[in-house]
Amino acid sequence: MISLSKDNYTEPFGKNEKQLLYLYTPMCGTCQIASTMLRVVEQMTSLPVYQLDLNYVPDLAETYGVESVPCLLSLEGGQVKYKRYAFDTVPTLLEEIRTFEQK
């Protein structure tokens, strides 16, 4: 995953392409599990996967309507197409990402 910071988090999202943004907080145990799952899925998709600690950009939660972490945003041209909060299984996550990738 490509780590973003509060200084550069807007750079990738002005492009008109599909990408994934994973929002987390470091002290969240569920986020740590979701991160592991995403690292596996990332190897099986061609979409860029960015990660960002939401503690440093709370305004982003308001902008994208993020209600909790972990949160995976499927973005196209900087617009949210889908939000995922539950990271059930790697196959389920991969299937959803591949569906988004092919649309």
Side-chain angles (χ1 to χ4, degrees), residues 8-20:
N8 72 350
Y9 77 91
T10 59
E11 291 175 14
F13 306 114
K15 302 173 185 171
N16 193 23
E17 60 185 45
K18 294 180 180 181
Q19 46 208 192
L20 303 170

Side-chain angles (χ1 to χ4, degrees), residues 30-43:
T30 306
C31 295
Q32 293 173 12
I33 294 167
S35 294
T36 302
M37 293 172 71
L38 272 174
R39 283 189 191 94
V40 171
V41 170
E42 180 183 30
Q43 302 303 312

Side-chain angles (χ1 to χ4, degrees), residues 2 10 13 29 37-38 42 47 65 70 73-74 78 83 86 92 101:
I2 304 162
T10 59
F13 306 114
M37 293 172 71
L38 272 174
E42 180 183 30
L47 293 176
L73 301 175
S74 300
K83 291 180 210 170
T92 302
E101 188 175 30

Side-chain angles (χ1 to χ4, degrees), residues 45-64:
T45 182
S46 63
L47 293 176
V49 182
Y50 297 94
Q51 66 178 3
L52 180 60
D53 182 345
L54 199 56
N55 286 323
Y56 295 110
V57 288
D59 59 313
L60 190 70
E62 187 175 325
T63 300
Y64 286 135

